[in-house]
Amino acid sequence: MLIKELERKAAAVRRQVLEMVVSANKGHIGGAFSCTDILVALYYGGGLRCDALRPDRQDRDRFILSKGHSGIAQYVILADLGFFPASELETYGANRSMLGGHPDRNIPGIEADTGSLGHGLAIGAGIALGAKLDGKHHLSIVLLGDGECYEGSVWEAAMFASHHRLGNLIAIVDRNRQCATDFTESCCEMEPFAEKWRAFNWETVEVNGHCLEELLEVFSTLGHRESNKPLAIVAHTIKGKGATCMEKTVECHHMVPEGEQLSAALEELARGCR
Amino acid sequence: MASEIHNPRTDIRDAFFDRLYDLAAQDRDTLFLTADMGALSLDRFKRDLPRQFINVGICEQSLVSIAAGLSLSGKKVFIYAITSFITQRCYEQIRIDLCGMRLPVVIVGSGPGICYGSDGGTHHAVEDIALMRALPNLSILNPSDPLSASAAALMAHKSANPVYVRLDKGKLPALHREEEDFSEGLRVLKKGRDVMLISTGVMVHKVFELADELAKHNIDAGIIDLYRIKPINTELLLSYLNEYKKLVTIEEHILAGGIGSAICEIVADHGIAKPVKRIAIPDIPCSQYGDREWMHRYYGLDVQTMVGLILQDCL
C-alpha cells in the first residue's frame, strides 16, 4: 500500500474511532489517536504477518497491545481486515458487546487480555521465548504506552528479554509524553528514555510515530533481523494526533468531543481521508 | 525410572519435585520457572533438564506474565517462589494473565502458612487461600503428605486450567496410601462420632494430635483432609457431615476467607443447621518472631488451646 493510501487509512481509522467514542460517550481517544499510525503501518504496511481468514495460524506474528486502552483503534483495523464483521463496531461499549474498553482474547485477532498496564511485554517475552525454544520464526511484537513504562514489571521483562537474547521480540513504545492526567516529564521524568532501553541491552531506534514512511522502513526490517538483541522502537508521537482540539491536551485522554470541536475534528479527519 | 515416594518420611517438597522431574523428563514442553527460589530436589531438574529450567531472577510479576506467554506458546509451565511473594506481589498478573485467560500454568508456593516461622510476617502466607479462592478458573491444592504432594504434581501437570499448589516442606509421615485416588479432593482419614475436624496441609498432622487429646475428654473426633481447597467436592463433603454433630475447621491461615469460610459457605448455602467452629489465625499482624511451634502457641493453634476452644464453644 502506498504511503498516501496508508495516510488516508489512518485518517479513516481515527474518524471511525471518533464516531465510536461519540456514540458510546466514552473511550480513551487520545492514546488511540497517538498510536493509530503505528497500528496502520503494522497491519497494512506488512510489518505484522497475520491472516484474518486464519487468525490462529501457527506462523503468524503475535501482536500484543499492552496499552490496552487504545484497543478501540485496533478494533477498527481488525474489523476492516475482516477478523470480525464491521457491524460489531457499532456495538462498542454497549451492553452485551464483544468490544469493550480493553481488548481480550474473545475478540478474533487479539492475542492477550490487556487493560492493566505493565503485563504485555512480559507476556510477549514468554511468547518470544516459546518460539525460540521451538525453533519457530514468528515475531512477538508488543505496543506499550510510555506512561505504562512507569510500571516496574516492564523493566523486569526488558531485563529478561535481553538476557535470553530474544531477538524475535519487538517493543514499540508510543512515546506521546503524556500519561492519564499529566505530562510525563512533569510528573516523573522519563528522559533519557531511549537510553534506558539501550541500558537494558536492547537495540533501540527512535522514529517519528506519525511518519508512515519512517514506520514502514523500520517495520520492513523486523522479519529478517540478524541481531539476537530484542528491539525497542521508541515512536515519538502526539497524544490526540489528528484532531487539533485534542492534540497535546491533558483532557484528550478521555475526551468525548462535542459541538464545534466535534464538527472540526470530523472535518479535519475527513480531509485526511481524501 | 519412577522416583521413590514409598518412603513414608520423604520430604513433602521432594515428593512433589521428584514427580515433576519424572513428568518433565518425559515432556520437553514442561518448563520450570523460578523467581530465584531453590530446593535440593530441584538441583537434579536443573542439572538434567537445563533447557526446561529457567531462573528469571527475583521478579514475581514478570514471572507470571512470562509463564502466560509461554503457555500461549503451548508450554506447560510451573512457576515457583516463596508462597507469600508468588501469591501477593503478582496477584494481578495471576488474576488477569492466568485466570482471566484460563491458561494452565501451575503456581507453586513454597512454604505456605507460617512454614517460615521466625523469618517473620513478610514470609508468612496466611492470607493466600482467601486471595486465591477469589479467582475464577483457579484450582487450589494443599497436599498434606508426600503421597498427596506427588499426586498434586501429577494433577497439576494434567490440568487444563491454572492451579495453585501450597507446597510445604519437611519430612512428614504418610497420611494417605499410594494407591488411593486423589481426584476426590478430600478424604476422611479418621472416622468419629461426635465432631468432624476439617483441616488442610501440614496442619492435618496436628489435628491427629488434637483428636487424641479430645478422646481423653470422651469426644470421638473424625478427621477430613481437605487437600483440594478449590473446588471443594461439596457433594462428598455433605455426604459425611450428616454423621457428625459439630464441625471444626483448623488452618494455618487467617479467619477471613480460608477453609473455615469455605465450609461455612457450603453449610449456609445448603441450609444445614450444624454448628461450625473456625480455628485459625486471628486478625492481627504478626509482630513476634518464633519457630512454627512457637507461632502456633502465639496464634492459639497449639493442641492445648484448640482443645480448650472446642470444649468451650462447641460441646
Side-chain angles (χ1 to χ4, degrees), chain A residues 105 116 119 126 133-134 156, chain B residues 59 62 72 75 92 97 101:
Chain A
R105 289 204 305 154
S116 177
H119 294 220
L133 288 172
D134 290 341
E156 291 180 12
Chain B
C59 47
S62 57
L72 286 167
K75 305 297 180 190
E92 191 197 66
D97 302 349
M101 293 200 277

Side-chain angles (χ1 to χ4, degrees), chain A residues 62 105 111-113 116-119 122-123 125-131 133-134 136 151-153 156-157 160 164, chain B residues 28-29 31 51 54-56 59-63 65-66 68-70 72-73 75 92-93 96-97 100-101 103:
Chain A
R62 272 60 164 180
R105 289 204 305 154
E111 300 283 357
D113 296 9
S116 177
L117 299 172
H119 294 220
I123 295 173
I127 290 172
L129 179 61
L133 288 172
D134 290 341
K136 293 178 178 168
E151 296 282 4
S153 52
E156 291 180 12
F160 176 88
H164 287 276
Chain B
R28 285 165 54 86
D29 283 334
L31 305 180
R51 183 187 161 280
I54 299 169
N55 183 357
V56 300
C59 47
E60 293 80 9
Q61 295 179 76
S62 57
L63 168 70
S65 301
I66 289 164
L70 285 164
L72 286 167
S73 301
K75 305 297 180 190
E92 191 197 66
Q93 278 83 2
I96 297 172
D97 302 349
M101 293 200 277
L103 297 176

Side-chain angles (χ1 to χ4, degrees), chain A residues 9-66:
Chain A
K9 182 66 80 177
V13 170
R14 287 189 173 96
R15 185 173 170 176
Q16 184 138 21
V17 167
L18 174 60
E19 288 170 353
M20 287 162 66
V21 166
V22 169
S23 173
N25 199 32
K26 68 180 293 189
H28 293 85
I29 193 166
F33 275 26
S34 74
C35 70
T36 295
D37 297 308
I38 297 167
L39 292 172
V40 165
L42 274 175
Y43 277 102
Y44 299 96
L48 181 74
R49 289 166 297 189
C50 61
D51 183 349
L53 296 177
R54 290 194 295 152
D56 295 331
R57 60 184 290 169
Q58 288 299 306
D59 62 350
R60 73 192 187 279
D61 293 331
R62 272 60 164 180
F63 174 69
I64 296 175
L65 184 68
S66 194

Side-chain angles (χ1 to χ4, degrees), chain B residues 9-305:
Chain B
R9 294 195 74 86
T10 300
D11 187 294
I12 188 169
R13 193 164 63 173
D14 293 346
F16 183 89
F17 286 137
D18 287 350
R19 174 60 76 93
L20 180 58
Y21 174 93
D22 292 341
L23 294 164
Q26 300 294 319
D27 173 23
R28 285 165 54 86
D29 283 334
T30 295
L31 305 180
F32 189 87
L33 273 62
T34 172
D36 203 28
M37 181 70 192
L40 274 178
S41 47
L42 276 175
D43 291 348
R44 187 166 64 122
F45 194 120
K46 187 178 177 181
R47 185 191 65 227
D48 296 351
L49 308 169
R51 183 187 161 280
Q52 292 162 254
F53 184 97
I54 299 169
N55 183 357
V56 300
I58 306 162
C59 47
E60 293 80 9
Q61 295 179 76
S62 57
L63 168 70
V64 174
S65 301
I66 289 164
L70 285 164
S71 182
L72 286 167
S73 301
K75 305 297 180 190
K76 180 73 193 187
V77 190
F78 284 67
I79 58 174
Y80 179 55
I82 289 177
T83 307
S84 60
F85 308 147
I86 204 169
T87 55
Q88 296 174 55
R89 182 61 161 263
C90 48
Y91 188 66
E92 191 197 66
Q93 278 83 2
I94 295 172
R95 173 177 173 262
I96 297 172
D97 302 349
L98 304 188
C99 298
M101 293 200 277
R102 202 169 186 161
L103 297 176
V105 171
V106 181
I107 305 157
V108 183
S110 171
I114 41 183
C115 176
Y116 280 96
S118 61
D119 283 324
T122 55
H123 284 56
H124 297 168
V126 294
E127 308 91 354
D128 62 309
I129 296 174
L131 291 166
M132 294 295 142
R133 236 167 42 85
L135 297 177
N137 297 326
L138 185 71
S139 299
I140 306 174
L141 302 178
N142 194 21
S144 58
D145 75 346
L147 292 163
S148 54
S150 178
L154 183 62
M155 289 190 288
H157 190 264
K158 278 185 184 169
S159 176
N161 290 318
V163 178
Y164 165 49
V165 182
R166 301 181 94 224
L167 186 60
D168 224 294
K169 55 185 177 181
K171 292 184 186 300
L172 296 163
L175 297 173
H176 299 270
R177 290 191 303 275
E178 192 174 0
E179 66 274 16
E180 285 172 331
D181 173 15
F182 284 90
S183 64
E184 291 191 324
L186 60 89
R187 178 165 299 131
V188 174
L189 296 178
K190 177 184 177 302
K191 289 189 174 178
R193 283 179 291 113
D194 301 317
V195 57
M196 174 56 88
L197 309 174
I198 303 171
S199 191
T200 187
V202 298
M203 283 302 281
V204 177
H205 296 267
K206 181 154 275 187
V207 168
F208 271 91
E209 294 176 44
L210 175 61
D212 288 345
E213 284 302 309
L214 289 173
K216 294 174 187 171
H217 296 272
N218 295 319
I219 297 170
D220 185 9
I223 298 173
I224 284 181
D225 178 5
L226 188 67
Y227 53 81
R228 191 180 70 213
I229 296 173
K230 186 184 177 185
I232 290 179
N233 188 338
T234 304
E235 196 178 337
L236 184 61
L237 182 73
L238 291 174
S239 73
Y240 294 132
L241 296 191
N242 287 336
E243 301 165 24
Y244 296 87
K245 298 172 204 147
K246 324 273 183 188
L247 307 177
V248 179
T249 61
I250 297 132
E251 59 191 315
E252 238 186 12
H253 187 273
I254 57 166
L255 271 168
I259 67 162
S261 296
I263 298 298
C264 286
E265 289 161 17
I266 290 170
V267 168
D269 288 347
H270 290 81
I272 295 169
K274 197 156 283 199
V276 181
K277 172 68 182 172
R278 294 181 298 147
I279 299 178
I281 293 173
D283 191 19
I284 53 170
C286 174
S287 58
Q288 300 274 312
Y289 293 88
D291 63 25
R292 201 171 198 172
E293 281 303 310
W294 187 90
M295 294 301 302
H296 280 178
R297 290 194 292 279
Y298 176 70
Y299 283 133
L301 293 174
D302 57 295
V303 170
Q304 195 176 1
T305 304

